[in-house]
Amino acid sequence: MVPRLIVVSNRVAVPDPEGPRQAGGLAVAVNAALKHRAGLWFGWSGKVSDDADRRPTDVVERRRRTFMTIDLSPTDYQEYYNGFANRVLWPILHYRVDLAEFTAVELGGYLRVNARFADALSGFLRPDDWIWVHDYHLLSLAKELRARGHDNPIGFFLHIPCPPPDILMALPQHAETMGALGHYDLVGMQTEHDAENLRHYFEQQGGRFNRSGTGFDLDGRHVQLRAFPVAIATRVYARTARSAIRSDFAGEVRDSLNGRRLILGVDRLDYSKGITHRIQGFGQFLDTYKDWRHQVTYIQVTPKSRAEVPEYADLNDSVSTLVGQINGRYGEPAWTPIRYINRAYSRASLAALYRMAAVGLVTPLRDGMNLVAKEFIAAQNPEDPGVLVLSQFAGAAEELGDGALLVNPLEAEAMAEAIDTALKMPLAERQARYRPMYRRLAANDIDRWAERFLTALNESRQPARLFDNIRQLFQARASFF
Ligand code: F6P
């Protein structure tokens, strides 16, 4: 019998029975993992309530899945989510040590919420459940579950980058958080590069690696460490794009472009996404390649996020100012170079925009994977594909680096040149770049990704099981004689 799978993440995307089917990257991944298994998805409800600590876990059934959520108290929300997770771990893991604002109180809040997750889960766990924990909010969850006596197979996947040990060790009391990964059976990273960085960190912490570097022993525990580049539902997304391009929404956008080529960026408002650098790169493009003025429109779709974290509020101001400056400098009564939009769109609407775009700009300063890059490729029309301009610092560059135009997002001139190259690229070259990228994404889609991780989680326990069986056999023989 296939064991039950318990997925745990900070946010849980409970489907709205009234609303349309919408799924972000994490929800698509979790759905793929739960497709052929009984199981449930546990995490924060997204609600903050004064009596959070006294409220029972909320359990709902939707679309043949079980969702279990807890609320956070205002203090937990502030210390754990706005504080340690998003003002310390997020910047440091994105190589931005300069932005980290550490307080011991917030680290305490982070560890407390991890313990609270473990308490809430504990009563529901059966000994043969598999547990799959997602992302940087829950680094110490396995340690808390082990402390409560749960010896289940527990896997962890980090959706964001993992920097080298020198940067990880700038994280105050890093053994409490990064070091706690040693309590998982399997730790998955987005890229080989991230796995290599974590490997070096654990070596420095006294971990003894096997020869292939895929597993280590630390404090009497054995941990597997591997890269599992996160994927998308490639064919499903391609189908969505094919039909979305015929929607009223797509028609309106196309009409509004008035024959101009579309340059597109889609990112959460986050400093890791390199939005200000990208806009500067676009300004440089208008400056250097003057013939393209009036011929292009750059749409930047940027829903706001984490608005209560000061660095995000500051970013909102700088992006708006920069867009205003460039539109002011180059715009004319009949042409606005940049359309900057702070609103979230459905997957179908985004798919239509991707398919319409001549150029997709995905230029984060640092990104675990960046699913926009993958969705942009999946959404293209094979007969007339657009060109992806991709940051060398996105995890997706490991898989898409041969077809995309790779840029260093810090180099405005290089970004400007890449936009010009993309716009001028002949159809045959666009197709030759697109085809292998699409094939690769279709071959490693989200279903395969989930299966690979869960198979590795199962295998991570094999040596231990084997050892237990042999020991039991010897004990049985000893009592027989
Ligand atoms: O990329 C990491 C991640 O946690 C995603 O899983 C999530 O979609 C995104 O950041 C948004 O984060 P938040 O939950 O803080 O809005």
Side-chain angles (χ1 to χ4, degrees):
M1 226 181 71
V2 183
R4 205 167 65 142
L5 178 65
I6 313 295
V7 178
V8 190
S9 62
N10 175 50
R11 279 187 201 274
V12 176
V14 182
D16 175 359
E18 317 278 291
R21 274 179 185 248
Q22 280 196 348
L26 180 63
V28 172
V30 173
N31 286 335
L34 289 171
K35 206 173 193 171
H36 305 295
R37 288 179 177 74
L40 54 87
W41 188 358
F42 172 82
W44 175 38
S45 60
K47 293 183 206 138
V48 177
S49 48
D50 288 329
D51 60 347
D53 295 338
R54 293 187 302 279
R55 287 170 90 101
T57 302
D58 196 24
V59 184
V60 294
E61 299 284 332
R62 295 273 157 78
R63 298 183 184 142
R64 286 180 288 126
R65 302 233 189 293
T66 306
F67 298 86
M68 285 179 25
T69 54
I70 53 172
D71 294 357
L72 290 180
S73 70
T75 312
D76 285 349
Y77 172 66
Q78 209 46 43
E79 294 175 2
Y80 152 81
Y81 176 77
N82 282 334
F84 192 75
N86 286 324
R87 287 198 89 188
V88 181
L89 286 173
W90 181 270
I92 291 182
L93 294 182
H94 283 87
Y95 296 64
R96 293 298 307 271
V97 178
D98 59 311
L99 293 181
E101 293 286 340
F102 174 80
T103 70
V105 169
E106 288 176 346
L107 171 61
Y110 178 89
L111 299 174
R112 188 177 63 241
V113 171
N114 272 249
R116 213 182 135 223
F117 268 50
D119 282 336
L121 259 181
S122 221
F124 289 91
L125 287 181
R126 300 178 196 151
D128 59 346
D129 285 341
W130 291 6
I131 305 169
W132 187 357
V133 180
H134 290 260
D135 233 355
Y136 62 102
H137 311 87
L138 299 168
L139 296 168
S140 54
L141 182 59
K143 183 178 176 187
E144 296 294 343
L145 288 170
R146 303 284 184 223
R148 286 159 182 74
H150 299 290
D151 185 38
N152 306 53
I154 315 183
F156 176 86
F157 183 75
L158 184 67
H159 287 253
I160 67 175
C162 181
D166 278 358
I167 296 185
L168 286 177
M169 285 192 280
L171 180 61
Q173 302 180 42
H174 52 87
E176 297 281 334
T177 49
M178 292 312 292
L181 287 177
H183 291 263
Y184 287 92
D185 295 294
L186 171 67
V187 174
M189 298 277 121
Q190 291 278 25
T191 65
E192 292 297 341
H193 184 64
D194 296 317
E196 189 65 19
N197 286 338
L198 192 62
R199 197 167 293 139
H200 288 148
Y201 169 78
F202 273 113
E203 263 163 3
Q204 296 192 10
Q205 301 306 301
R208 288 189 25 253
F209 275 82
N210 59 17
R211 241 183 271 143
S212 62
T214 54
F216 64 94
D217 293 300
L218 182 72
D219 300 334
R221 289 197 47 78
H222 185 72
V223 185
Q224 287 289 318
L225 167 59
R226 297 204 359 223
F228 299 87
V230 75
I232 58 167
T234 312
R235 289 192 183 82
V236 176
Y237 204 77
R239 259 201 314 275
T240 305
R242 274 200 299 278
S243 71
I245 198 71
R246 294 192 296 268
S247 64
D248 292 347
F249 169 80
E252 269 173 41
V253 178
R254 198 183 300 102
D255 290 348
S256 78
L257 292 174
N258 231 341
R260 295 190 174 98
R261 314 277 297 280
L262 172 60
I263 299 172
L264 180 67
V266 176
D267 314 78
R268 251 180 342 99
L269 186 66
D270 193 299
Y271 49 81
S272 65
K273 304 291 180 188
I275 302 168
T276 49
H277 292 80
R278 188 182 313 158
I279 293 170
Q280 273 154 353
F282 179 71
Q284 181 73 49
F285 162 77
L286 294 179
D287 216 43
T288 313
Y289 303 93
K290 298 188 174 52
D291 290 350
W292 285 115
R293 292 185 195 169
H294 300 270
Q295 311 298 320
V296 296
T297 295
Y298 169 21
I299 297 183
Q300 176 63 47
V301 178
T302 303
K304 290 189 183 172
S305 80
R306 304 177 190 164
E308 291 166 45
V309 178
E311 289 75 24
Y312 288 74
D314 295 348
L315 179 67
N316 187 28
D317 293 345
S318 22
V319 175
S320 310
T321 306
L322 200 54
V323 169
Q325 282 168 355
I326 292 188
N327 280 341
R329 183 169 339 136
Y330 300 101
E332 300 210 8
W335 176 55
T336 306
I338 308 178
R339 298 184 195 167
Y340 176 55
I341 301 159
N342 287 133
R343 191 176 311 165
Y345 287 89
S346 68
R347 288 172 77 71
S349 299
L350 290 178
L353 291 177
Y354 294 144
R355 198 172 174 99
M356 214 182 291
V359 184
L361 293 182
V362 181
T363 59
L365 299 177
R366 199 56 73 166
D367 215 330
M369 178 52 61
N370 199 303
L371 295 180
V372 169
K374 293 191 168 183
E375 290 177 348
F376 179 83
I377 294 303
Q380 293 309 303
N381 175 2
E383 306 302 320
D384 184 19
V387 179
L388 176 63
V389 175
L390 180 62
S391 163
Q392 67 190 76
F393 303 123
E398 263 187 23
E399 289 164 277
L400 304 178
D402 54 349
L405 296 178
L406 284 193
V407 291
N408 177 343
L410 300 173
E411 227 183 309
E413 289 82 4
M415 189 120 57
E417 191 184 336
I419 298 173
D420 175 62
T421 307
L423 289 166
K424 288 202 298 228
M425 193 178 287
L427 176 62
E429 184 180 346
R430 284 190 275 128
Q431 288 177 325
R433 285 173 174 272
Y434 155 82
R435 281 191 200 116
M437 289 194 286
Y438 183 84
R439 266 201 300 273
R440 208 167 301 132
L441 296 183
N444 178 29
D445 75 353
I446 193 67
D447 289 343
R448 284 209 52 198
W449 176 78
E451 280 317 309
R452 280 183 56 227
F453 187 93
L454 291 170
T455 304
L457 178 59
N458 185 29
E459 286 168 3
S460 71
R461 296 291 284 234
Q462 297 303 327
R465 284 222 185 100
L466 196 65
F467 186 68
D468 280 351
N469 290 345
I470 294 169
R471 200 178 43 210
Q472 277 168 16
L473 192 71
F474 274 106
Q475 279 167 352
R477 283 172 65 108
S479 60
F480 182 77
F481 291 112

